[in-house]
Amino acid sequence: MEIVLASNNADKLREIREILGPMGITVVSQSEAGCHFEAEETGETFEANARIKARAAGAATGRPCVADDSGLEVNAMDNGPGVYSSRFCGDRSYRETCREIVSIVDGSDDRGARFRCAVVCVFPNGDELTAEGVIEGTIGHVFEGEHGFGYDPIFVPEGHTHSMACLTDAEKNAISHRGRAFRAFAEKLQKYMGKEHTPC
Ligand code: ITT
């Protein structure tokens, strides 16, 4: 089955292709599908924003479209930057933004944090599937690792001693918020496709 990913983030596209590919789901990028816009993320939750992106790409392509909205929640920042994770970085480098988060957390006694990912898939008939994935961890003391993207270099997954950016894509996908969300989505998609193809 082919599905369009409503995202302009090349790192997400790479990770999601690696997660869904082995399950027989081919992920087509939104630019390959002829969509060259960025939907305005006006929602207050990850799920609401994922729905906005998936619906916009679905309306433009007429094809099944899936979107991921994700971000980092830091206890010492009242669970921010959360849905504003991308906007919190803005035009700065991630190295600079990560440094700011580490300094905020250094000034508190709570290093707890998590990555959250909401997935919404929209079908041309209006049906929608949703899924969510979370990974708990802490904000590290230093920026470390060369893999992954965004806030990975300062996020230390629970049970690990080094940051998520020290993991290969395969290792990250096995435990990440995105890996969990898209595996849950793939399971629902398989059930949905099975139902759709059952003769009445
Ligand atoms: P699209 O909306 O086009 O998919 P985006 O990068 O703007 O791309 P989001 O709105 O979902 O995506 O913002 C997610 C931000 O949260 C992302 O830019 C990173 O800063 C951060 N983030 C999400 N998942 C991450 C991950 O696996 N590792 C590190 N940072 C992540």
Side-chain angles (χ1 to χ4, degrees), residues 6-9 12 15 41 53 68-72 85-86 94 115 149-152 164 172 177-178:
S7 173
N8 291 305
N9 182 323
K12 281 186 185 178
E15 290 184 2
E41 296 179 29
K53 293 187 265 189
D68 144 332
D69 199 65
S70 46
L72 179 67
S85 291
S86 180
Y94 268 97
F115 273 120
F149 66 98
Y151 299 105
D152 283 338
M164 193 117 100
K172 176 182 171 183
H177 50 313
R178 185 163 296 103

Side-chain angles (χ1 to χ4, degrees), residues 8 21 66 73 98 102 122 132 141-142 150 168:
N8 291 305
V66 68
E73 296 177 347
C98 284
V102 171
V122 175
E132 192 183 82
H141 294 272
V142 290
T168 62

Side-chain angles (χ1 to χ4, degrees), residues 84-97:
Y84 301 104
S85 291
S86 180
R87 286 164 276 182
F88 183 69
C89 181
D91 291 331
R92 297 183 287 176
S93 67
Y94 268 97
R95 187 176 278 271
E96 200 182 324
T97 312

Side-chain angles (χ1 to χ4, degrees), residues 89-137:
C89 181
D91 291 331
R92 297 183 287 176
S93 67
Y94 268 97
R95 187 176 278 271
E96 200 182 324
T97 312
C98 284
R99 207 178 290 135
E100 183 185 340
I101 294 178
V102 171
S103 84
I104 293 170
V105 171
D106 282 349
S108 90
D109 54 9
D110 185 352
R111 305 200 75 86
R114 68 209 56 76
F115 273 120
R116 198 179 288 282
C117 173
V119 173
V120 175
C121 183
V122 175
F123 296 89
N125 66 2
D127 285 352
E128 292 187 1
L129 295 178
T130 60
E132 192 183 82
V134 179
I135 178 172
E136 294 286 343

Side-chain angles (χ1 to χ4, degrees), residues 25-41:
I25 302 166
T26 303
V27 180
V28 177
S29 72
Q30 81 169 36
S31 61
E32 283 165 341
C35 275
H36 301 283
F37 59 79
E38 198 159 326
E40 210 189 332
E41 296 179 29

